Amino acid sequence: MGFLFTSESVSEGHPDKVSDQISDAILDEFLRHDPSSKVACETLCTTGLVVVAGEVRSSAYVDVQEVARRVIRRIGYTKSEYRFDCDSCGVLSAIHEQSSDIRQGVERAGEEEQGAGDQGIMFGYACSETRELMPATLILSHVILKELADIRREGEVMTYLRPDAKSQVTIEYDEQTRRPLRVHTIVVSTQHDEFILPAAGLTEQEAERSMQERIREDVRTILIPRVKARLERAHDKLAELIDDRYILHVNPTGKFVIGGPHGDTGLTGRKIIVDSYGGRGAHGGGAFSGKDPSKVDRSAAYAARHIAKNMVAAGIADEVLVELSYAIGIAEPLSVYVDTHNSKCEALASMSDGEIARRIARLFDLRPAAIVRRFGLKNPIFEATASYGHFGNRPYTKEETFYEEGRPVQREVEFFGWEKLDAVEAIKEAFGL
């Protein structure tokens, strides 16, 4: 037996993710009207209430209440019995002007010399164990919940599903090669209707046990086969990791009727490991959602992922961790660090990670303004990132609405541009591969 590693994911209806999505939807709305908006938006969700707070500097006006209700409706909180629904919940806004002290450190006469919006350390990670160059444990955790959400929206089977859910996947790895061998354990916890009630001859405990058994069997016979089929349609080898030996836990505490923001208060930025690499690599501690790209917590983390992913794709190493550090008001990063986890290709076996980092620092312009331009981070692309992870998604383009002098115009914008493998050839050339 090798070693075990576990990652978790949470659904779009998890209270923390509801908060993330509202914060990013508000950010997007500001960017539609004023691409230079500076936004730091935090959201709290609880029973019947949404509180939005933060600092904004923008020429735009955003109807915070309308945006929050639209997001909540899309997620699926549409019934009063959830004790948190899009039409009846209260929405309070406590947004105020951005600090002038912060502004003077960020803005410069020349756009390229724009300072970082804060100090901090940001990490990017990639590994060769999946086609997304992400940890298999996290990708499978996300896929399980994406499929569960599809089932809920279709409304044909498992019709008792509610929006809040969590998943967790444990994979057994080979001790020597560190390659995934098989799925060891799957945990699925999903909110649900109380669809079996106590009745004559059926106690409360028996009704609860019957619901739990039904949900467990549906997860085993409907959800997991659909997850495998989804992977197989995509010709994804992760499907082969799910055999008949895995251990399954479904709603381990019993019934899960009370959920969402009614069951647990949600806050923006409380799922940073779900958002990033599922516990692999490292994390600098800064959240992403609700922050405009002048905040390097977000933009530099995207740049670090882009570098790490392209390095793995270029064959530099099978596993790469990149750290960037910044000081508020300073454009250039203070440091660029690379850790290849002793997985470098044979051609670079004698090259130190320090030398690799120095070449990477010369190859990429890591000033905040350059990162923003490279990935189009002044576009309204962030609500899409606020559930099922910011990394491992395929880049795509679609038309979005912007407003120029109050008039709506359509423009094509790119989503998840930091996932593009557009630096592979430059990296190969820099390292003579």
Side-chain angles (χ1 to χ4, degrees), residues 306-307 309-310 313 364 374-375 395 414 416-427:
H306 180 250
I307 293 170
K309 183 177 183 180
N310 277 267
F364 290 90
R374 184 184 313 137
F375 303 128
E414 183 176 60
F416 298 101
W418 50 93
E419 291 294 314
K420 291 173 69 175
L421 294 175
D422 55 358
V424 170
E425 293 307 315
I427 291 173

Side-chain angles (χ1 to χ4, degrees), residues 24-195:
D24 270 341
I26 290 169
L27 167 61
D28 280 352
E29 202 61 29
F30 274 108
L31 295 175
R32 289 182 202 282
H33 292 82
D34 176 8
S36 297
S37 296
K38 299 295 184 288
V39 179
C41 178
E42 314 293 342
T43 302
L44 176 148
C45 296
T46 188
T47 304
L49 180 64
V50 174
V51 179
V52 180
E55 300 78 47
V56 171
R57 187 173 63 82
S58 176
S59 63
Y61 166 77
V62 168
D63 187 336
V64 170
Q65 185 171 132
E66 189 279 328
V67 172
R69 294 190 192 283
R70 173 183 62 76
V71 172
I72 296 165
R73 182 176 295 106
R74 174 184 58 74
I75 291 169
Y77 286 109
T78 57
K79 298 178 181 178
S80 59
E81 63 197 85
Y82 297 162
R83 305 289 294 276
F84 180 83
D85 78 276
C86 58
D87 294 319
S88 66
C89 69
V91 180
L92 302 180
S93 174
I95 291 175
H96 59 87
E97 182 79 8
Q98 182 194 51
S99 161
S100 59
D101 293 347
I102 293 175
R103 183 162 65 248
Q104 72 179 359
V106 174
E107 295 187 346
R108 294 287 186 271
E111 183 181 3
E112 292 303 311
E113 297 309 312
Q114 168 190 317
D118 201 352
Q119 72 173 46
I121 56 175
M122 299 85 208
F123 289 92
Y125 176 80
C127 60
S128 60
E129 65 188 54
T130 64
R131 63 180 187 170
E132 296 90 355
L133 304 184
M134 289 282 287
T137 50
L138 184 63
I139 292 297
L140 284 174
S141 296
H142 287 328
V143 171
I144 286 169
L145 292 183
K146 288 178 181 178
E147 195 61 39
L148 191 68
D150 286 349
I151 291 171
R152 173 171 59 88
R153 288 194 166 93
E154 290 165 8
E156 296 175 1
V157 294
M158 301 178 74
T159 55
Y160 48 76
L161 292 173
R162 290 182 176 182
D164 193 1
K166 300 179 80 170
S167 67
Q168 190 168 281
V169 174
T170 302
I171 286 180
E172 180 184 341
Y173 285 79
D174 183 271
E175 195 78 52
Q176 302 302 318
T177 65
R178 301 182 66 84
R179 295 294 181 188
L181 299 175
R182 69 180 185 93
V183 170
H184 180 276
T185 303
I186 295 174
V187 182
V188 176
S189 295
T190 181
Q191 187 189 14
H192 59 88
D193 295 337
E194 194 153 15
F195 58 92

Side-chain angles (χ1 to χ4, degrees), residues 215-234:
I215 296 168
R216 186 185 189 283
E217 186 64 10
D218 285 351
V219 168
R220 187 183 69 82
T221 62
I222 297 173
L223 174 60
I224 302 303
R226 282 186 53 151
V227 167
K228 287 192 69 171
R230 181 184 186 130
L231 295 168
E232 287 166 350
R233 284 195 305 272

